[in-house]
Amino acid sequence: MSGPAIGLWLFEPRGFADILADVVPWLETFCEPVEAKASGDVDFWVRDGSALGLRAFEPADVGVFFLSEDEEMPAEDEDYSAFSRPPVQGLIVGAGCSGSVNHVLLGHLTLALARRLDALVDFDGLLGGHRTAGEDTSNEAVLARARALASELPGRLAEVSYDTGGGGRWLRHVGDVEFLEAWLRHADFHLIK
């Protein structure tokens, strides 16, 4: 089973090899092993969450994480008008499996990488909060929940529209590190599995 993934948007171009030259030595201080793949991606296993400000966890509950270049960034179908300029490069940080410990680690890894790389965070969807059984799941209700959440938290969160296929459009959230830091403390984040 594949786990969650988050995008990082860069606004200054950097070679992926240069990014890895910066990031891999840092990962090696709390991850073991850190493996470069033939595709250029990096797989790693977090062994010490204290480097991310986290308490101890059971390593057996944690799967592999990866860092790769998002070759579809910037995308022609996305509306970047919420930003002073469009992103020029994207990265993907992902977990190989789901589960609360993997979600928490992914969030904190993303926060650290976004700070390190001066990147924005692409949540790859709307952060609409926890939905309960019988709740309205129409696009309007989801969007209203997402906007309410965005107004509750500090930092900047932008809506970016994109093509859904068949002529439709929908939205994804892209936020700054201040917003991500607040989201990681929010009760709705901890409901995600």
Side-chain angles (χ1 to χ4, degrees), residues 70-92:
D70 184 350
E71 296 179 3
E72 296 179 19
M73 177 59 65
E76 291 181 22
D77 68 331
E78 292 186 342
D79 176 8
Y80 301 119
S81 63
F83 308 98
S84 59
R85 59 188 176 170
V88 296
Q89 188 173 5
L91 304 174
I92 301 170

Side-chain angles (χ1 to χ4, degrees), residues 1-3 95-99 193:
M1 177 176 172
S2 182
C97 57
S98 286
K193 302 290 184 240

Side-chain angles (χ1 to χ4, degrees), residues 96-146:
C97 57
S98 286
S100 60
V101 70
N102 292 296
H103 276 85
V104 169
L105 281 169
L106 178 61
H108 287 272
L109 280 165
T110 302
L111 179 62
L113 286 166
R115 283 185 175 134
R116 186 175 198 91
L117 300 171
D118 193 27
L120 292 182
V121 178
D122 176 356
F123 293 97
D124 196 31
L126 289 178
L127 300 174
H130 181 66
R131 292 171 188 83
T132 58
E135 205 173 13
D136 184 1
T137 57
S138 68
N139 284 351
E140 294 78 24
V142 171
L143 188 54
R145 270 193 301 278

Side-chain angles (χ1 to χ4, degrees), residues 121 128 144 152 157 167 172:
V121 178
E152 289 176 21
L157 188 68
R172 66 184 339 114

